[in-house]
Amino acid sequence: MSPPVGSSKDSGTARVLGSGTSGIAELLIFHPVDTVAKRLMSNKNKVSFGSLSSIIFRDAANAPVFTKFFSLFPGLGYAAGYKVAQRIYKFGGQPYFNDLISKHYKTQFSNTFGERKGKMMMQATAGSLTGIGEVVLLPLDALKIKRQVNPEAFRGRGVVRIFMEEGTTLYRGWGWTMARNAPGSFALFGASAVTKEYVLNVQDYSKATWTQNFIASIAGAVASITVAAPLDTVKTRIQNANFEHKVSGVTVMKDMLKNEGPTAFFKGLTPKILVVGPKLVFSYTIAQSLIPLFSKYV
Protein backbone atom coordinates (compact mmCIF):
# COMPACT_ATOMS: atom_id res chain seq x y z
CA MET A 1 0.00 0.00 0.00
CA SER A 2 1.52 3.26 -1.11
CA PRO A 3 0.65 6.89 -1.73
CA PRO A 4 -0.40 7.75 -5.28
CA VAL A 5 2.33 8.47 -7.74
CA GLY A 6 2.63 10.20 -11.06
CA SER A 7 0.38 12.77 -12.66
CA SER A 8 -1.93 13.04 -15.61
CA LYS A 9 1.02 13.60 -17.94
CA ASP A 10 2.36 10.11 -17.14
CA SER A 11 1.15 7.46 -19.56
CA GLY A 12 -0.58 4.30 -18.42
CA THR A 13 2.31 2.24 -19.77
CA ALA A 14 4.81 4.27 -17.77
CA ARG A 15 2.79 3.74 -14.62
CA VAL A 16 2.64 -0.01 -15.20
CA LEU A 17 6.38 -0.28 -15.89
CA GLY A 18 7.40 2.02 -13.05
CA SER A 19 5.12 0.56 -10.40
CA GLY A 20 5.77 -3.01 -11.57
CA THR A 21 9.53 -2.56 -11.31
CA SER A 22 9.04 -1.01 -7.90
CA GLY A 23 7.07 -4.06 -6.79
CA ILE A 24 9.77 -6.47 -7.98
CA ALA A 25 12.56 -4.56 -6.23
CA GLU A 26 10.51 -4.29 -3.05
CA LEU A 27 9.71 -8.00 -3.15
CA LEU A 28 13.32 -9.16 -3.34
CA ILE A 29 14.27 -7.09 -0.32
CA PHE A 30 11.24 -7.44 1.94
CA HIS A 31 9.80 -10.88 1.15
CA PRO A 32 11.82 -12.53 3.97
CA VAL A 33 10.39 -10.10 6.54
CA ASP A 34 6.88 -10.76 5.26
CA THR A 35 7.48 -14.49 5.68
CA VAL A 36 8.56 -13.97 9.29
CA ALA A 37 5.44 -11.89 10.02
CA LYS A 38 3.13 -14.48 8.40
CA ARG A 39 4.70 -17.36 10.33
CA LEU A 40 4.40 -15.50 13.62
CA MET A 41 0.74 -14.69 12.92
CA SER A 42 0.03 -18.31 12.00
CA ASN A 43 1.69 -19.71 15.11
CA LYS A 44 -0.98 -20.82 17.58
CA ASN A 45 1.37 -21.58 20.47
CA LYS A 46 2.87 -19.19 22.97
CA VAL A 47 5.99 -17.53 21.64
CA SER A 48 9.18 -17.64 23.71
CA PHE A 49 12.75 -16.71 22.89
CA GLY A 50 13.69 -20.37 22.71
CA SER A 51 10.92 -21.25 20.26
CA LEU A 52 11.42 -18.30 17.90
CA SER A 53 13.95 -20.03 15.68
CA SER A 54 11.77 -23.09 15.04
CA ILE A 55 8.72 -20.87 14.38
CA ILE A 56 10.52 -18.58 11.94
CA PHE A 57 12.87 -20.98 10.14
CA ARG A 58 10.81 -24.19 10.44
CA ASP A 59 12.87 -27.17 9.23
CA ALA A 60 15.93 -24.97 8.71
CA ALA A 61 16.07 -23.90 12.36
CA ASN A 62 19.33 -25.81 12.95
CA ALA A 63 20.76 -25.27 9.47
CA PRO A 64 23.66 -22.94 8.56
CA VAL A 65 23.01 -19.19 8.32
CA PHE A 66 22.67 -19.07 4.53
CA THR A 67 20.25 -22.00 4.50
CA LYS A 68 18.17 -20.26 7.16
CA PHE A 69 18.08 -17.07 5.13
CA PHE A 70 16.98 -18.75 1.89
CA SER A 71 14.30 -20.66 3.80
CA LEU A 72 12.54 -17.30 4.14
CA PHE A 73 11.87 -17.18 0.39
CA PRO A 74 9.15 -19.83 -0.05
CA GLY A 75 6.47 -19.03 -2.59
CA LEU A 76 8.58 -16.36 -4.25
CA GLY A 77 6.92 -17.02 -7.63
CA TYR A 78 3.44 -16.52 -6.20
CA ALA A 79 4.66 -13.54 -4.20
CA ALA A 80 6.12 -11.94 -7.32
CA GLY A 81 2.86 -12.28 -9.23
CA TYR A 82 0.87 -10.90 -6.32
CA LYS A 83 3.23 -8.05 -5.41
CA VAL A 84 3.70 -6.76 -8.96
CA ALA A 85 -0.03 -6.94 -9.69
CA GLN A 86 -0.81 -5.30 -6.35
CA ARG A 87 1.61 -2.41 -6.89
CA ILE A 88 0.37 -1.76 -10.42
CA TYR A 89 -3.22 -1.83 -9.18
CA LYS A 90 -2.56 0.41 -6.18
CA PHE A 91 -0.34 2.97 -7.89
CA GLY A 92 -2.75 3.31 -10.79
CA GLY A 93 -6.02 2.50 -9.05
CA GLN A 94 -6.02 5.01 -6.20
CA PRO A 95 -5.39 8.05 -8.41
CA TYR A 96 -8.10 6.79 -10.79
CA PHE A 97 -10.65 6.48 -7.99
CA ASN A 98 -9.60 9.86 -6.63
CA ASP A 99 -10.11 11.47 -10.05
CA LEU A 100 -13.49 9.76 -10.34
CA ILE A 101 -14.63 10.97 -6.91
CA SER A 102 -13.29 14.47 -7.56
CA LYS A 103 -15.12 14.66 -10.87
CA HIS A 104 -18.53 13.54 -9.61
CA TYR A 105 -18.61 14.14 -5.84
CA LYS A 106 -16.14 16.93 -5.06
CA THR A 107 -18.94 19.38 -4.24
CA GLN A 108 -20.54 16.96 -1.78
CA PHE A 109 -17.22 16.29 -0.03
CA SER A 110 -16.38 20.01 0.15
CA ASN A 111 -19.82 20.91 1.50
CA THR A 112 -19.66 18.16 4.13
CA PHE A 113 -16.06 18.42 5.31
CA GLY A 114 -14.86 21.77 3.97
CA GLU A 115 -12.55 22.22 1.01
CA ARG A 116 -9.31 21.27 2.78
CA LYS A 117 -10.65 18.30 4.73
CA GLY A 118 -12.77 17.29 1.76
CA LYS A 119 -9.63 16.88 -0.34
CA MET A 120 -8.12 14.59 2.29
CA MET A 121 -11.35 12.62 2.65
CA MET A 122 -11.45 12.06 -1.11
CA GLN A 123 -7.89 10.70 -0.98
CA ALA A 124 -8.81 8.37 1.89
CA THR A 125 -12.07 7.24 0.29
CA ALA A 126 -10.32 6.56 -3.00
CA GLY A 127 -7.79 4.47 -1.10
CA SER A 128 -10.56 2.53 0.62
CA LEU A 129 -12.28 1.75 -2.70
CA THR A 130 -8.94 0.64 -4.14
CA GLY A 131 -8.38 -1.65 -1.16
CA ILE A 132 -11.81 -3.25 -1.53
CA GLY A 133 -11.22 -3.94 -5.22
CA GLU A 134 -7.92 -5.59 -4.38
CA VAL A 135 -9.90 -8.73 -3.51
CA VAL A 136 -9.57 -9.80 -7.17
CA LEU A 137 -5.91 -10.54 -6.43
CA LEU A 138 -6.81 -12.81 -3.50
CA PRO A 139 -5.91 -16.15 -5.16
CA LEU A 140 -2.30 -15.05 -5.65
CA ASP A 141 -2.16 -13.75 -2.09
CA ALA A 142 -3.63 -17.02 -0.78
CA LEU A 143 -1.10 -19.13 -2.68
CA LYS A 144 1.75 -16.92 -1.46
CA ILE A 145 0.68 -17.25 2.17
CA LYS A 146 0.13 -21.02 1.92
CA ARG A 147 3.57 -21.47 0.41
CA GLN A 148 5.09 -19.38 3.20
CA VAL A 149 3.42 -21.07 6.16
CA ASN A 150 1.84 -24.33 4.94
CA PRO A 151 3.87 -25.71 1.99
CA GLU A 152 2.58 -29.27 2.55
CA ALA A 153 -0.81 -28.07 1.27
CA PHE A 154 0.68 -28.06 -2.24
CA ARG A 155 1.72 -31.72 -2.19
CA GLY A 156 3.83 -31.29 -5.33
CA ARG A 157 1.02 -29.72 -7.38
CA GLY A 158 1.73 -26.95 -9.86
CA VAL A 159 -0.04 -23.60 -9.92
CA VAL A 160 -2.24 -24.47 -12.94
CA ARG A 161 -3.42 -27.71 -11.36
CA ILE A 162 -4.14 -25.94 -8.07
CA PHE A 163 -6.26 -23.30 -9.84
CA MET A 164 -8.18 -26.03 -11.71
CA GLU A 165 -8.75 -28.22 -8.66
CA GLU A 166 -9.36 -25.61 -5.99
CA GLY A 167 -11.28 -22.99 -7.99
CA THR A 168 -13.28 -20.67 -5.76
CA THR A 169 -11.67 -22.00 -2.57
CA LEU A 170 -8.74 -19.71 -3.42
CA TYR A 171 -11.11 -16.84 -2.65
CA ARG A 172 -11.59 -18.16 0.87
CA GLY A 173 -11.60 -15.25 3.27
CA TRP A 174 -12.63 -12.70 0.61
CA GLY A 175 -15.07 -11.00 2.97
CA TRP A 176 -12.43 -10.65 5.66
CA THR A 177 -9.96 -9.38 3.07
CA MET A 178 -12.34 -6.61 2.03
CA ALA A 179 -13.12 -5.85 5.69
CA ARG A 180 -9.38 -5.52 6.34
CA ASN A 181 -8.54 -3.55 3.20
CA ALA A 182 -11.30 -0.95 3.45
CA PRO A 183 -10.24 0.64 6.77
CA GLY A 184 -6.58 -0.21 6.18
CA SER A 185 -6.36 1.61 2.85
CA PHE A 186 -8.53 4.44 4.21
CA ALA A 187 -6.08 4.89 7.10
CA LEU A 188 -3.06 4.70 4.80
CA PHE A 189 -4.08 7.35 2.30
CA GLY A 190 -5.98 9.37 4.89
CA ALA A 191 -3.14 9.58 7.42
CA SER A 192 -0.68 10.31 4.61
CA ALA A 193 -2.86 13.15 3.34
CA VAL A 194 -3.40 14.55 6.85
CA THR A 195 0.35 14.51 7.51
CA LYS A 196 1.10 16.33 4.28
CA GLU A 197 -1.72 18.83 4.76
CA TYR A 198 -1.37 19.73 8.44
CA VAL A 199 2.12 18.68 9.52
CA LEU A 200 4.14 19.38 6.38
CA ASN A 201 1.86 22.06 4.90
CA VAL A 202 1.93 20.53 1.42
CA GLN A 203 -0.93 21.80 -0.74
CA ASP A 204 -0.14 19.88 -3.93
CA TYR A 205 0.62 16.31 -2.87
CA SER A 206 2.24 15.46 -6.20
CA LYS A 207 4.91 18.11 -5.57
CA ALA A 208 5.95 16.83 -2.15
CA THR A 209 9.68 16.39 -1.67
CA TRP A 210 11.35 13.02 -1.00
CA THR A 211 11.59 13.85 2.72
CA GLN A 212 7.95 14.91 2.89
CA ASN A 213 6.85 11.69 1.17
CA PHE A 214 9.03 9.75 3.60
CA ILE A 215 7.35 11.26 6.66
CA ALA A 216 3.83 11.01 5.23
CA SER A 217 4.37 7.40 4.13
CA ILE A 218 5.54 6.36 7.60
CA ALA A 219 2.51 7.99 9.25
CA GLY A 220 0.09 6.44 6.75
CA ALA A 221 1.63 3.00 6.80
CA VAL A 222 1.82 2.69 10.59
CA ALA A 223 -1.80 3.80 10.89
CA SER A 224 -2.87 1.36 8.17
CA ILE A 225 -1.01 -1.67 9.51
CA THR A 226 -2.23 -1.08 13.06
CA VAL A 227 -5.88 -0.58 12.06
CA ALA A 228 -5.87 -3.64 9.79
CA ALA A 229 -3.79 -5.94 12.05
CA PRO A 230 -6.64 -7.86 13.80
CA LEU A 231 -8.53 -8.67 10.59
CA ASP A 232 -5.26 -9.36 8.78
CA THR A 233 -4.39 -12.05 11.32
CA VAL A 234 -7.85 -13.64 10.93
CA LYS A 235 -7.55 -13.53 7.13
CA THR A 236 -4.10 -15.12 7.24
CA ARG A 237 -5.27 -18.03 9.38
CA ILE A 238 -8.26 -18.65 7.11
CA GLN A 239 -6.00 -18.70 4.06
CA ASN A 240 -3.16 -20.82 5.42
CA ALA A 241 -5.39 -23.78 6.30
CA ASN A 242 -5.24 -26.86 4.07
CA PHE A 243 -7.32 -26.51 0.89
CA GLU A 244 -9.86 -29.13 2.00
CA HIS A 245 -10.25 -27.67 5.49
CA LYS A 246 -12.80 -24.87 5.44
CA VAL A 247 -12.97 -22.66 8.51
CA SER A 248 -15.02 -19.52 9.09
CA GLY A 249 -13.63 -16.21 10.30
CA VAL A 250 -15.93 -16.23 13.33
CA THR A 251 -14.59 -19.65 14.34
CA VAL A 252 -11.02 -18.43 13.98
CA MET A 253 -11.76 -15.38 16.14
CA LYS A 254 -13.42 -17.48 18.84
CA ASP A 255 -10.51 -19.95 18.92
CA MET A 256 -7.98 -17.11 19.10
CA LEU A 257 -9.77 -15.42 22.00
CA LYS A 258 -10.25 -18.73 23.83
CA ASN A 259 -6.77 -20.22 23.36
CA GLU A 260 -4.47 -17.23 22.90
CA GLY A 261 -6.22 -14.15 24.26
CA PRO A 262 -6.91 -10.78 22.58
CA THR A 263 -3.23 -10.01 22.00
CA ALA A 264 -3.19 -12.83 19.42
CA PHE A 265 -4.91 -10.46 16.98
CA PHE A 266 -1.74 -8.38 16.90
CA LYS A 267 0.78 -11.20 16.37
CA GLY A 268 3.36 -10.22 13.77
CA LEU A 269 2.53 -6.51 14.14
CA THR A 270 5.98 -5.51 15.41
CA PRO A 271 8.00 -6.88 12.47
CA LYS A 272 5.46 -5.38 10.07
CA ILE A 273 5.73 -1.93 11.63
CA LEU A 274 9.51 -2.17 11.81
CA VAL A 275 9.72 -2.81 8.07
CA VAL A 276 6.90 -0.53 6.99
CA GLY A 277 8.95 2.67 7.02
CA PRO A 278 11.85 1.62 4.77
CA LYS A 279 9.53 -0.59 2.69
CA LEU A 280 7.19 2.24 1.72
CA VAL A 281 9.96 4.79 1.30
CA PHE A 282 11.84 2.37 -0.93
CA SER A 283 8.88 1.43 -3.15
CA TYR A 284 7.58 4.99 -3.32
CA THR A 285 10.98 6.44 -4.25
CA ILE A 286 11.59 3.82 -6.95
CA ALA A 287 8.14 4.37 -8.47
CA GLN A 288 8.43 8.15 -8.34
CA SER A 289 11.79 7.95 -10.10
CA LEU A 290 10.92 5.37 -12.74
CA ILE A 291 7.43 6.50 -13.81
CA PRO A 292 8.59 9.95 -15.07
CA LEU A 293 11.62 8.28 -16.65
CA PHE A 294 9.53 5.74 -18.54
CA SER A 295 7.11 8.50 -19.58
CA LYS A 296 9.87 9.97 -21.74
CA TYR A 297 9.93 6.83 -23.87
CA VAL A 298 6.43 5.28 -23.69
Side-chain angles (χ1 to χ4, degrees):
M1 292 180 283
S2 301
V5 297
S7 61
S8 58
K9 68 179 180 180
D10 297 322
S11 68
T13 303
R15 283 187 174 184
V16 169
L17 292 175
S19 56
T21 304
S22 171
I24 292 172
E26 176 189 338
L27 176 77
L28 293 176
I29 294 177
F30 294 102
H31 185 67
V33 181
D34 183 51
T35 298
V36 171
K38 288 292 190 297
R39 289 179 176 177
L40 284 173
M41 285 192 291
S42 298
N43 173 56
K44 297 182 180 180
N45 301 315
K46 289 187 177 181
V47 179
S48 65
F49 183 79
S51 65
L52 265 181
S53 182
S54 60
I55 293 172
I56 294 173
F57 298 108
R58 300 288 177 85
D59 295 338
N62 299 316
V65 175
F66 284 107
T67 303
K68 283 185 176 181
F69 176 72
F70 286 112
S71 72
L72 298 178
F73 282 91
L76 186 60
Y78 301 111
Y82 173 69
K83 178 57 65 178
V84 173
Q86 181 197 46
R87 283 303 179 208
I88 291 173
Y89 173 76
K90 275 193 174 292
F91 278 117
Q94 196 274 348
Y96 170 78
F97 280 115
N98 187 60
D99 290 342
L100 202 62
I101 293 172
S102 181
K103 180 179 179 181
H104 297 285
Y105 303 102
K106 183 177 182 179
T107 302
Q108 289 90 326
F109 272 86
S110 296
N111 291 339
T112 304
F113 303 102
E115 186 174 351
R116 195 176 186 187
K117 292 181 180 178
K119 181 174 68 171
M120 293 183 292
M121 284 299 296
M122 286 192 293
Q123 288 280 345
T125 303
S128 186
L129 292 173
T130 306
I132 292 173
E134 198 176 326
V135 73
V136 298
L137 303 175
L138 193 60
L140 288 175
D141 186 29
L143 290 173
K144 174 180 76 76
I145 292 175
K146 286 183 191 295
R147 192 66 182 84
Q148 285 176 306
V149 301
N150 190 19
E152 60 270 17
F154 286 76
R155 300 192 188 97
R157 295 181 294 174
V159 61
V160 175
R161 183 180 173 186
I162 289 176
F163 268 100
M164 292 178 63
E165 292 181 353
E166 306 304 335
T168 56
T169 61
L170 292 175
Y171 279 94
R172 183 185 297 166
W174 65 269
W176 292 95
T177 299
M178 294 174 71
R180 176 203 65 171
N181 286 356
S185 293
F186 185 94
L188 170 71
F189 292 100
S192 178
V194 168
T195 303
K196 288 181 179 178
E197 193 79 27
Y198 288 109
V199 179
L200 305 173
N201 197 30
V202 177
Q203 301 302 314
D204 186 348
Y205 301 160
S206 65
K207 294 183 180 179
T209 65
W210 187 92
T211 302
Q212 289 170 332
N213 281 324
F214 173 87
I215 297 171
S217 294
I218 296 299
V222 171
S224 175
I225 293 295
T226 304
V227 167
L231 290 177
D232 190 34
T233 302
V234 173
K235 180 191 78 77
T236 297
R237 295 202 177 185
I238 291 173
Q239 289 180 313
N240 68 27
N242 282 325
F243 288 113
E244 64 273 8
H245 180 59
K246 185 176 181 180
V247 60
S248 71
V250 174
T251 300
V252 170
M253 293 178 69
K254 287 181 178 178
D255 289 344
M256 289 174 66
L257 286 171
K258 179 181 178 181
N259 301 323
E260 304 167 64
T263 56
F265 289 98
F266 292 93
K267 280 187 175 181
L269 179 61
T270 299
K272 276 191 171 185
I273 289 181
L274 288 176
V275 77
V276 114
K279 182 177 182 179
L280 278 183
V281 168
F282 179 83
S283 61
Y284 183 67
T285 302
I286 293 294
Q288 280 287 77
S289 301
L290 291 183
I291 290 176
L293 178 64
F294 286 133
S295 289
K296 296 178 182 179
Y297 306 99
V298 293

